[in-house]
Amino acid sequence: MLALKRDPVLNEIARARSKDMASRGYFSHEDPAGGPLPLEKLLLENKVQYKQAGENIAYFLGPTTADVLPELSSAKWMDSPPHRENIMEAAYNLTGFGIASVKTDEGTMWYLTQIFVQR
């Protein structure tokens, strides 16, 4: 079992992924405009070499500060079998995490992305 380490490039990719969802107002692993999956596109654009990759995304409406979001998203992901599998996958050795927000009429909408990569 490899240790999971945070990677600065994956952090930037995760931030870009969260910003994309926030700015275009969607929440999906797929691009609403079609084409390649956003994660695959970002990994290729950033020349990230990988054997396998996974992604967890979450969104929340309402928290006023970002400091509560990692705990909220972790609990939500661990309660979801496919997301939990990404977190527990022993082959992944690198991870990145990103948060973005957008103001809406209902309040602040937060988008979170966690990326996992096996090199």
Side-chain angles (χ1 to χ4, degrees):
M1 179 179 216
L2 301 171
L4 188 63
K5 295 179 184 177
R6 288 205 48 181
D7 180 83
V9 173
L10 294 182
N11 283 339
E12 288 301 316
I13 291 171
R15 281 189 203 107
R17 187 73 179 93
S18 292
K19 286 179 185 177
D20 182 55
M21 288 187 288
S23 67
R24 294 199 293 152
Y26 76 99
F27 178 73
S28 176
H29 293 284
E30 298 183 17
D31 190 324
L37 295 174
L39 175 59
E40 291 175 358
K41 180 180 175 190
L42 288 167
L43 290 171
L44 289 171
E45 286 174 356
N46 287 278
K47 298 175 179 38
V48 174
Q49 301 285 326
Y50 64 95
K51 293 179 184 174
Q52 71 181 51
E55 169 184 69
N56 288 346
I57 58 176
Y59 72 96
F60 298 94
L61 176 64
T64 56
T65 62
D67 61 339
V68 298
L69 297 171
E71 185 176 331
L72 290 173
S73 61
S74 294
K76 189 174 185 179
W77 289 330
M78 290 304 281
D79 285 341
S80 164
H83 296 99
R84 182 183 176 89
E85 285 176 24
N86 277 339
I87 292 168
M88 303 303 290
E89 174 57 62
Y92 291 138
N93 55 348
L94 297 173
T95 189
F97 190 79
I99 300 173
S101 66
V102 63
K103 300 284 185 195
T104 69
D105 291 340
E106 294 83 27
T108 302
M109 180 70 76
W110 298 90
Y111 293 86
L112 292 81
T113 304
Q114 186 174 27
I115 297 171
F116 303 92
V117 167
Q118 175 192 8
R119 287 220 174 126

